[in-house]
Amino acid sequence: MTLARVSLKKGKDQSVRRYHPWIFSGAISETTGSPAEGDVVEVFASDGTYLATGHWAPGSIAVRIFSFRRCEPEREFFRKKLYDAFAFRLNAGIAGRSGTDVWRMIHGEGDGLPGLIVDIYGSVAVLQAHTAGFWHIRSMIAELIIEVLQGTVTSVYDKSEATLPYMAKLGAVNRYLAGEDAGAGAIVTENGMKFSVNWQTGQKTGFFIDQRDSRSLLTTYSEGRRVLNMFGYSGGFSVYAMQNAAAVHTVDSSSAAIALADENVRMNYGDDIRHKGYVADAFTYLAEINRDYDLMVLDPPAFAKHHNALDKALQGYRRLNAIAIEKIRPGGIIFTFSCSQVVSREDFRRSVFVAAANTGRNVRILHQTGQPPDHPVSIYHPESEYLKGLVLFIE
Ligand code: SAH
């Protein structure tokens, strides 16, 4: 198979040689073989040296690299990538852990497969293609997932409708790709706790798997406390806090989310009056309370999806954290997060610092949290570190 060729301008090969997986369109001097969106291309330095192989796209990121060695990008190549990703998670103690059957198998750039996300929910894998490249080979990837996770995963559901580039007009429809139709959702287990997940109607692939470690950390602080889980979605943090808290209130602007949070708490604790769910806007709710809580979780949706929205996003984090720091009881704890990729750890910490300074209260950082090992960050691709958290102690 002759692959299309992408040649870089002189001096524009530095970042590829340092294994950064994106080629920006401005670095390209010439493209031969007229690749279509999603085609595999090979990347060359200006002197003709081979550099990398990846998927072509017409946007500002023109190539997403999946190999820095010359390869035949066929079934065998991707089979090895999937086995590597699985072995990595077995080594990290995540796959095959007793009491946990929900985990991420493929995390895009973190697994050397930019544009591909695969999450495991018991016997179902949910695949999300973010590029035409992976969408074109989704059926093959689905077969390989079942092969690699044999005996565990029996069905693969494609949920790429909303994640593919809009302009690509691929006409994707969410549906089962391989194995039997396993319905819309299932009950999964995380650290022994049960969660109802609906991958067809739920946010992302159905569950915020990336907060597993922070949810665990929460229980070391929630004992006897009055907990506010703000932006609670399906009540992940609430179910953990219910292990030992005095009261847990879940707040979300979506009534479907609160219904799900109530269901998840009930599934683990029955009708326990310590839990209440509220459908409300975060800022309104926080403005109306007094110093009622001594533990708050603030896990808002990404305030910035693009670089040009960065300033507004930072302002959002400042406002949210300022009101929470103001309203927490003395001796209280705040778990605060940002999942905006364009907001760096430094930016986020500075926003929280400004928020704290405005309240005049003494604030200390107890923990700085990030992504669990099944959402690995490639050291060559700092952009994949999207989830940042701070655990604060407020006097
Ligand atoms: N903490 C959750 C994930 C949160 S996702 C978990 O661990 O699973 C962000 C949630 O914020 C979504 O459920 C969304 O409905 C909610 N949300 C968005 N804007 C909001 C607002 N202004 N006030 C309250 N909730 C909001």
Side-chain angles (χ1 to χ4, degrees):
M1 180 170 61
T2 326
L3 300 172
R5 288 174 67 103
V6 169
S7 300
L8 301 185
K9 292 175 184 161
K10 205 160 184 261
K12 290 287 185 187
D13 55 353
Q14 291 292 336
S15 85
V16 199
R17 289 187 190 277
R18 289 188 187 138
Y19 307 110
H20 194 284
W22 296 344
I23 305 282
F24 289 96
S25 56
I28 296 172
S29 65
E30 196 190 359
T31 305
T32 53
S34 356
E37 178 155 14
D39 282 356
V40 174
V41 297
E42 288 187 323
V43 182
F44 295 86
S46 58
D47 65 1
T49 315
Y50 165 87
L51 294 171
T53 305
H55 285 133
W56 174 260
S60 105
I61 303 174
V63 186
R64 286 180 174 80
I65 294 166
F66 52 71
S67 183
F68 293 91
R69 276 199 214 144
R70 224 161 192 169
C71 62
E72 290 283 329
E74 309 290 342
R75 179 176 286 261
E76 194 46 45
F77 172 84
F78 289 106
R79 177 185 284 124
K80 172 146 189 348
K81 284 269 192 181
L82 264 61
Y83 268 112
D84 287 351
F86 180 43
F88 173 85
R89 283 151 178 85
L90 283 172
N91 281 328
I94 286 169
R97 184 199 284 186
S98 82
T100 297
D101 64 0
V102 44
W103 48 281
R104 176 158 288 193
M105 181 184 178
I106 303 289
H107 183 60
E109 283 84 356
D111 286 294
L113 296 168
L116 182 64
I117 296 293
V118 179
D119 286 337
I120 307 299
Y121 295 104
S123 62
V124 176
V126 180
L127 176 155
Q128 249 179 3
H130 291 250
T131 58
F134 278 110
W135 196 70
H136 290 327
I137 58 170
R138 64 196 181 285
S139 295
M140 179 182 79
I141 298 285
E143 287 164 19
L144 290 172
I145 292 167
I146 289 179
E147 183 186 326
V148 171
L149 299 181
Q150 53 181 302
T152 319
V153 166
T154 47
S155 303
V156 181
Y157 182 74
D158 175 20
K159 196 184 183 183
S160 306
E161 223 175 90
T163 56
L164 286 165
Y166 172 71
M167 296 297 280
K169 296 200 167 41
L170 294 163
V173 174
N174 293 341
R175 63 178 182 89
Y176 276 93
L177 285 176
E180 283 178 12
D181 182 331
I187 309 256
V188 295
T189 313
E190 185 183 89
N191 290 319
M193 280 157 274
K194 291 196 203 105
F195 293 94
S196 170
V197 171
N198 186 317
W199 43 82
Q200 296 194 1
T201 58
Q203 296 182 34
K204 303 223 286 184
T205 63
F207 193 60
F208 286 79
I209 303 174
D210 54 3
Q211 289 286 29
R212 184 197 308 113
D213 287 355
S214 294
R215 286 193 279 264
S216 286
L217 183 62
L218 185 75
T219 60
T220 63
Y221 292 101
S222 50
E223 190 167 356
R225 288 187 189 259
R226 290 180 56 81
V227 177
L228 171 62
N229 180 13
M230 185 53 81
F231 308 97
Y233 182 46
S234 57
F237 283 99
S238 303
V239 169
Y240 277 67
M242 284 293 285
Q243 283 184 20
N244 54 15
V248 179
H249 294 168
T250 309
V251 177
D252 200 290
S253 56
S254 146
S255 56
I258 291 302
L260 196 53
D262 281 337
E263 180 188 339
N264 283 329
V265 171
R266 202 171 308 118
M267 203 162 35
N268 289 278
Y269 304 95
D271 284 321
D272 190 323
I273 54 160
R274 289 178 304 147
H275 182 256
K276 285 197 178 64
Y278 297 100
V279 179
D281 168 70
F283 289 96
T284 312
Y285 189 91
L286 287 167
E288 285 171 1
I289 58 170
N290 297 311
R291 288 189 171 175
D292 299 329
Y293 298 100
D294 50 12
L295 205 173
M296 289 186 194
V297 179
L298 307 172
D299 186 23
F303 281 164
K305 297 241 158 76
H306 302 287
H307 262 290
N308 48 18
L310 181 61
D311 282 345
K312 241 185 129 216
L314 295 179
Q315 206 183 323
Y317 290 119
R318 283 197 296 272
R319 255 186 79 209
L320 176 65
N321 285 281
I323 185 160
I325 292 170
E326 181 55 46
K327 292 289 175 98
I328 194 112
R329 277 189 190 163
I333 299 214
I334 298 180
F335 278 61
T336 181
F337 301 97
S338 162
C339 62
S340 310
Q341 190 174 34
V342 298
V343 173
S344 70
R345 194 170 273 281
E346 266 316 298
D347 283 340
F348 178 57
R349 193 170 146 164
R350 199 171 308 118
S351 299
V352 176
F353 151 72
V354 174
N358 285 342
T359 65
R361 297 183 73 173
N362 191 20
V363 177
R364 276 176 279 181
I365 297 173
L366 305 184
H367 301 270
Q368 308 204 39
T369 70
Q371 298 157 220
D374 51 340
H375 296 62
V377 180
S378 163
I379 203 157
Y380 305 111
H381 184 251
E383 295 90 335
S384 47
E385 185 181 354
Y386 67 98
L387 182 60
K388 295 123 333 232
L390 293 169
V391 180
L392 310 172
F393 179 82
I394 294 92
E395 273 176 33

